[in-house]
Amino acid sequence: MAQRFALMIDPVAADSGRTDFADTFTAVDAAAPALSVGELSTQRGDGVFESIGVVDRHAQEVVPHLERLAHSARLCDLPTPNQAQWHQAIDVAAADCGDGEYVIKLILSRGVEHGPTPTAWVTAAPAADFTPVRENGVRVVTLDRGYDLDVAQNAPWLLLGAKTLSYAVNMAALREAHRRGADDAVFLSRDGFVLEAPTASLILRFGERFLTPAPNGGILHGTTQLSVYEFLAARGLTAEYGRIPASDLPIADAAWLVSSVRLAAPITAVDGAEIPVDRTLTRELNQYLLSPRD
Ligand code: PLP
């Protein structure tokens, strides 16, 4: 998935009360080197990011993504991103996308070591074809993440509610899932509750009731999960947050991994044991998630 488009942003120039930020953007060759070797995002993963789905040039859920970028920046003691500046950068990137599905990434890094300012940039690239996974689903294995459910309160410096660039652990979990013959993983807390996947939120269905792990349990609050909950509420369905024991996952009536670009992937098996797939609702969810959402 080659980057097609890249825009460097000057986050410092955004401080004034202006409304047009075009002169704070520099379009760069997406295939050419653009970052300093001293960049702390590449050396330490010291920064925050967002991945936004784009469908037919419409960037989905821009404001929730910008709000989460600001939340992540706050948790990491990074300067608050100027929402209007980033919104304009997203509009420029979306206009460069073609028909079909793309992904826009926002990156705000600590910057160059000992340097005066953060580094910020936006990229756009065609998305992978997730149609097969939306239709055929994913087999997951459960993996111990090694922390209790109350870790976010007891150790906020682990930054578990922030979308930081430090995804090495998440990628290692995916490789372990593949080694075990599965497609994806679901993290469990040490004290036995389900959390999230390495790059997605988890939603379970028990009868007419939908349940997702509460975001205060050291997980990322997913924009797609929030959007799905709006969809379910509009249909009069009960959609709640809770503490979900690991033993509930294999007995769910249906379960999904949801995220901004892959959208809703039904879970077909947990640790080798098949679980039911709600094909009708999965199709409706993906139709909704592919429709323009603000
Ligand atoms: N949880 C983690 C750890 C993630 O990395 C992601 C997305 O990348 C999500 C949940 C889902 O978030 P969203 O729906 O905003 O893409």
Side-chain angles (χ1 to χ4, degrees), residues 40-54:
L40 290 172
S41 53
T42 53
Q43 291 186 20
R44 294 185 182 155
D46 193 356
V48 297
F49 79 108
E50 283 296 320
S51 296
I52 302 178
V54 183

mmCIF file with all atom_site columns, all heavy atoms in Angstrom, residues 40-54:
data_model
loop_
_atom_site.group_PDB
_atom_site.id
_atom_site.type_symbol
_atom_site.label_atom_id
_atom_site.label_alt_id
_atom_site.label_comp_id
_atom_site.label_asym_id
_atom_site.label_entity_id
_atom_site.label_seq_id
_atom_site.pdbx_PDB_ins_code
_atom_site.Cartn_x
_atom_site.Cartn_y
_atom_site.Cartn_z
_atom_site.occupancy
_atom_site.B_iso_or_equiv
_atom_site.pdbx_formal_charge
_atom_site.auth_seq_id
_atom_site.auth_comp_id
_atom_site.auth_asym_id
_atom_site.auth_atom_id
_atom_site.pdbx_PDB_model_num
ATOM 1   N N   . LEU A 1 40 ? 12.174  11.675 16.716 1.00 0.00 ? 40 LEU A N   1
ATOM 2   C CA  . LEU A 1 40 ? 11.899  10.817 17.870 1.00 0.00 ? 40 LEU A CA  1
ATOM 3   C C   . LEU A 1 40 ? 10.741  9.857  17.609 1.00 0.00 ? 40 LEU A C   1
ATOM 4   O O   . LEU A 1 40 ? 10.598  8.861  18.311 1.00 0.00 ? 40 LEU A O   1
ATOM 5   C CB  . LEU A 1 40 ? 11.626  11.688 19.098 1.00 0.00 ? 40 LEU A CB  1
ATOM 6   C CG  . LEU A 1 40 ? 12.890  12.398 19.600 1.00 0.00 ? 40 LEU A CG  1
ATOM 7   C CD1 . LEU A 1 40 ? 12.541  13.402 20.682 1.00 0.00 ? 40 LEU A CD1 1
ATOM 8   C CD2 . LEU A 1 40 ? 13.916  11.400 20.120 1.00 0.00 ? 40 LEU A CD2 1
ATOM 9   N N   . SER A 1 41 ? 9.913   10.152 16.596 1.00 0.00 ? 41 SER A N   1
ATOM 10  C CA  . SER A 1 41 ? 8.859   9.190  16.272 1.00 0.00 ? 41 SER A CA  1
ATOM 11  C C   . SER A 1 41 ? 9.478   7.903  15.762 1.00 0.00 ? 41 SER A C   1
ATOM 12  O O   . SER A 1 41 ? 9.027   6.804  16.087 1.00 0.00 ? 41 SER A O   1
ATOM 13  C CB  . SER A 1 41 ? 7.917   9.768  15.211 1.00 0.00 ? 41 SER A CB  1
ATOM 14  O OG  . SER A 1 41 ? 8.655   10.221 14.105 1.00 0.00 ? 41 SER A OG  1
ATOM 15  N N   . THR A 1 42 ? 10.527  8.019  14.966 1.00 0.00 ? 42 THR A N   1
ATOM 16  C CA  . THR A 1 42 ? 11.139  6.810  14.409 1.00 0.00 ? 42 THR A CA  1
ATOM 17  C C   . THR A 1 42 ? 12.093  6.172  15.416 1.00 0.00 ? 42 THR A C   1
ATOM 18  O O   . THR A 1 42 ? 12.245  4.956  15.442 1.00 0.00 ? 42 THR A O   1
ATOM 19  C CB  . THR A 1 42 ? 11.892  7.134  13.097 1.00 0.00 ? 42 THR A CB  1
ATOM 20  O OG1 . THR A 1 42 ? 12.785  8.202  13.361 1.00 0.00 ? 42 THR A OG1 1
ATOM 21  C CG2 . THR A 1 42 ? 10.948  7.535  12.008 1.00 0.00 ? 42 THR A CG2 1
ATOM 22  N N   . GLN A 1 43 ? 12.735  6.964  16.264 1.00 0.00 ? 43 GLN A N   1
ATOM 23  C CA  . GLN A 1 43 ? 13.694  6.381  17.217 1.00 0.00 ? 43 GLN A CA  1
ATOM 24  C C   . GLN A 1 43 ? 12.997  5.768  18.432 1.00 0.00 ? 43 GLN A C   1
ATOM 25  O O   . GLN A 1 43 ? 13.470  4.796  19.006 1.00 0.00 ? 43 GLN A O   1
ATOM 26  C CB  . GLN A 1 43 ? 14.666  7.446  17.710 1.00 0.00 ? 43 GLN A CB  1
ATOM 27  C CG  . GLN A 1 43 ? 15.611  7.924  16.642 1.00 0.00 ? 43 GLN A CG  1
ATOM 28  C CD  . GLN A 1 43 ? 16.655  8.860  17.202 1.00 0.00 ? 43 GLN A CD  1
ATOM 29  O OE1 . GLN A 1 43 ? 16.915  8.893  18.398 1.00 0.00 ? 43 GLN A OE1 1
ATOM 30  N NE2 . GLN A 1 43 ? 17.260  9.640  16.340 1.00 0.00 ? 43 GLN A NE2 1
ATOM 31  N N   . ARG A 1 44 ? 11.908  6.410  18.877 1.00 0.00 ? 44 ARG A N   1
ATOM 32  C CA  . ARG A 1 44 ? 11.291  5.974  20.140 1.00 0.00 ? 44 ARG A CA  1
ATOM 33  C C   . ARG A 1 44 ? 9.788   5.744  20.058 1.00 0.00 ? 44 ARG A C   1
ATOM 34  O O   . ARG A 1 44 ? 9.164   5.461  21.081 1.00 0.00 ? 44 ARG A O   1
ATOM 35  C CB  . ARG A 1 44 ? 11.546  7.030  21.218 1.00 0.00 ? 44 ARG A CB  1
ATOM 36  C CG  . ARG A 1 44 ? 13.003  7.155  21.564 1.00 0.00 ? 44 ARG A CG  1
ATOM 37  C CD  . ARG A 1 44 ? 13.205  8.099  22.710 1.00 0.00 ? 44 ARG A CD  1
ATOM 38  N NE  . ARG A 1 44 ? 14.625  8.230  22.992 1.00 0.00 ? 44 ARG A NE  1
ATOM 39  C CZ  . ARG A 1 44 ? 15.181  9.277  23.580 1.00 0.00 ? 44 ARG A CZ  1
ATOM 40  N NH1 . ARG A 1 44 ? 14.432  10.294 23.956 1.00 0.00 ? 44 ARG A NH1 1
ATOM 41  N NH2 . ARG A 1 44 ? 16.470  9.316  23.813 1.00 0.00 ? 44 ARG A NH2 1
ATOM 42  N N   . GLY A 1 45 ? 9.206   5.925  18.900 1.00 0.00 ? 45 GLY A N   1
ATOM 43  C CA  . GLY A 1 45 ? 7.745   5.836  18.802 1.00 0.00 ? 45 GLY A CA  1
ATOM 44  C C   . GLY A 1 45 ? 7.079   6.898  19.658 1.00 0.00 ? 45 GLY A C   1
ATOM 45  O O   . GLY A 1 45 ? 5.971   6.698  20.170 1.00 0.00 ? 45 GLY A O   1
ATOM 46  N N   . ASP A 1 46 ? 7.788   8.038  19.818 1.00 0.00 ? 46 ASP A N   1
ATOM 47  C CA  . ASP A 1 46 ? 7.306   9.076  20.730 1.00 0.00 ? 46 ASP A CA  1
ATOM 48  C C   . ASP A 1 46 ? 6.418   10.066 19.975 1.00 0.00 ? 46 ASP A C   1
ATOM 49  O O   . ASP A 1 46 ? 6.884   11.091 19.475 1.00 0.00 ? 46 ASP A O   1
ATOM 50  C CB  . ASP A 1 46 ? 8.505   9.785  21.369 1.00 0.00 ? 46 ASP A CB  1
ATOM 51  C CG  . ASP A 1 46 ? 8.086   10.636 22.550 1.00 0.00 ? 46 ASP A CG  1
ATOM 52  O OD1 . ASP A 1 46 ? 6.868   10.729 22.820 1.00 0.00 ? 46 ASP A OD1 1
ATOM 53  O OD2 . ASP A 1 46 ? 8.967   11.219 23.198 1.00 0.00 ? 46 ASP A OD2 1
ATOM 54  N N   . GLY A 1 47 ? 5.163   9.713  19.869 1.00 0.00 ? 47 GLY A N   1
ATOM 55  C CA  . GLY A 1 47 ? 4.220   10.562 19.161 1.00 0.00 ? 47 GLY A CA  1
ATOM 56  C C   . GLY A 1 47 ? 2.860   9.890  19.142 1.00 0.00 ? 47 GLY A C   1
ATOM 57  O O   . GLY A 1 47 ? 2.689   8.801  19.716 1.00 0.00 ? 47 GLY A O   1
ATOM 58  N N   . VAL A 1 48 ? 1.903   10.539 18.500 1.00 0.00 ? 48 VAL A N   1
ATOM 59  C CA  . VAL A 1 48 ? 0.537   10.005 18.455 1.00 0.00 ? 48 VAL A CA  1
ATOM 60  C C   . VAL A 1 48 ? 0.053   10.030 17.015 1.00 0.00 ? 48 VAL A C   1
ATOM 61  O O   . VAL A 1 48 ? 0.589   10.756 16.177 1.00 0.00 ? 48 VAL A O   1
ATOM 62  C CB  . VAL A 1 48 ? -0.412  10.819 19.365 1.00 0.00 ? 48 VAL A CB  1
ATOM 63  C CG1 . VAL A 1 48 ? 0.031   10.698 20.819 1.00 0.00 ? 48 VAL A CG1 1
ATOM 64  C CG2 . VAL A 1 48 ? -0.484  12.285 18.951 1.00 0.00 ? 48 VAL A CG2 1
ATOM 65  N N   . PHE A 1 49 ? -0.965  9.207  16.721 1.00 0.00 ? 49 PHE A N   1
ATOM 66  C CA  . PHE A 1 49 ? -1.433  9.168  15.338 1.00 0.00 ? 49 PHE A CA  1
ATOM 67  C C   . PHE A 1 49 ? -2.918  8.818  15.274 1.00 0.00 ? 49 PHE A C   1
ATOM 68  O O   . PHE A 1 49 ? -3.522  8.443  16.279 1.00 0.00 ? 49 PHE A O   1
ATOM 69  C CB  . PHE A 1 49 ? -0.600  8.187  14.503 1.00 0.00 ? 49 PHE A CB  1
ATOM 70  C CG  . PHE A 1 49 ? -0.953  6.733  14.684 1.00 0.00 ? 49 PHE A CG  1
ATOM 71  C CD1 . PHE A 1 49 ? -1.622  6.036  13.679 1.00 0.00 ? 49 PHE A CD1 1
ATOM 72  C CD2 . PHE A 1 49 ? -0.624  6.049  15.843 1.00 0.00 ? 49 PHE A CD2 1
ATOM 73  C CE1 . PHE A 1 49 ? -1.951  4.691  13.827 1.00 0.00 ? 49 PHE A CE1 1
ATOM 74  C CE2 . PHE A 1 49 ? -0.944  4.705  16.004 1.00 0.00 ? 49 PHE A CE2 1
ATOM 75  C CZ  . PHE A 1 49 ? -1.601  4.024  14.989 1.00 0.00 ? 49 PHE A CZ  1
ATOM 76  N N   . GLU A 1 50 ? -3.459  8.946  14.082 1.00 0.00 ? 50 GLU A N   1
ATOM 77  C CA  . GLU A 1 50 ? -4.836  8.536  13.779 1.00 0.00 ? 50 GLU A CA  1
ATOM 78  C C   . GLU A 1 50 ? -4.856  7.920  12.391 1.00 0.00 ? 50 GLU A C   1
ATOM 79  O O   . GLU A 1 50 ? -4.109  8.362  11.509 1.00 0.00 ? 50 GLU A O   1
ATOM 80  C CB  . GLU A 1 50 ? -5.794  9.736  13.782 1.00 0.00 ? 50 GLU A CB  1
ATOM 81  C CG  . GLU A 1 50 ? -6.196  10.235 15.142 1.00 0.00 ? 50 GLU A CG  1
ATOM 82  C CD  . GLU A 1 50 ? -6.987  9.219  15.951 1.00 0.00 ? 50 GLU A CD  1
ATOM 83  O OE1 . GLU A 1 50 ? -7.841  8.521  15.379 1.00 0.00 ? 50 GLU A OE1 1
ATOM 84  O OE2 . GLU A 1 50 ? -6.741  9.121  17.155 1.00 0.00 ? 50 GLU A OE2 1
ATOM 85  N N   . SER A 1 51 ? -5.703  6.929  12.176 1.00 0.00 ? 51 SER A N   1
ATOM 86  C CA  . SER A 1 51 ? -5.971  6.405  10.834 1.00 0.00 ? 51 SER A CA  1
ATOM 87  C C   . SER A 1 51 ? -7.454  6.634  10.539 1.00 0.00 ? 51 SER A C   1
ATOM 88  O O   . SER A 1 51 ? -8.310  6.180  11.294 1.00 0.00 ? 51 SER A O   1
ATOM 89  C CB  . SER A 1 51 ? -5.717  4.895  10.764 1.00 0.00 ? 51 SER A CB  1
ATOM 90  O OG  . SER A 1 51 ? -4.361  4.624  10.991 1.00 0.00 ? 51 SER A OG  1
ATOM 91  N N   . ILE A 1 52 ? -7.711  7.329  9.449  1.00 0.00 ? 52 ILE A N   1
ATOM 92  C CA  . ILE A 1 52 ? -9.088  7.701  9.096  1.00 0.00 ? 52 ILE A CA  1
ATOM 93  C C   . ILE A 1 52 ? -9.469  7.006  7.795  1.00 0.00 ? 52 ILE A C   1
ATOM 94  O O   . ILE A 1 52 ? -8.711  7.047  6.818  1.00 0.00 ? 52 ILE A O   1
ATOM 95  C CB  . ILE A 1 52 ? -9.183  9.244  8.907  1.00 0.00 ? 52 ILE A CB  1
ATOM 96  C CG1 . ILE A 1 52 ? -8.743  9.961  10.192 1.00 0.00 ? 52 ILE A CG1 1
ATOM 97  C CG2 . ILE A 1 52 ? -10.567 9.663  8.466  1.00 0.00 ? 52 ILE A CG2 1
ATOM 98  C CD1 . ILE A 1 52 ? -8.762  11.487 10.076 1.00 0.00 ? 52 ILE A CD1 1
ATOM 99  N N   . GLY A 1 53 ? -10.618 6.384  7.765  1.00 0.00 ? 53 GLY A N   1
ATOM 100 C CA  . GLY A 1 53 ? -11.099 5.772  6.534  1.00 0.00 ? 53 GLY A CA  1
ATOM 101 C C   . GLY A 1 53 ? -11.634 6.839  5.584  1.00 0.00 ? 53 GLY A C   1
ATOM 102 O O   . GLY A 1 53 ? -12.236 7.830  6.024  1.00 0.00 ? 53 GLY A O   1
ATOM 103 N N   . VAL A 1 54 ? -11.401 6.651  4.291  1.00 0.00 ? 54 VAL A N   1
ATOM 104 C CA  . VAL A 1 54 ? -11.927 7.573  3.276  1.00 0.00 ? 54 VAL A CA  1
ATOM 105 C C   . VAL A 1 54 ? -12.702 6.728  2.277  1.00 0.00 ? 54 VAL A C   1
ATOM 106 O O   . VAL A 1 54 ? -12.200 5.700  1.814  1.00 0.00 ? 54 VAL A O   1
ATOM 107 C CB  . VAL A 1 54 ? -10.785 8.315  2.530  1.00 0.00 ? 54 VAL A CB  1
ATOM 108 C CG1 . VAL A 1 54 ? -11.347 9.321  1.531  1.00 0.00 ? 54 VAL A CG1 1
ATOM 109 C CG2 . VAL A 1 54 ? -9.847  8.994  3.512  1.00 0.00 ? 54 VAL A CG2 1
#
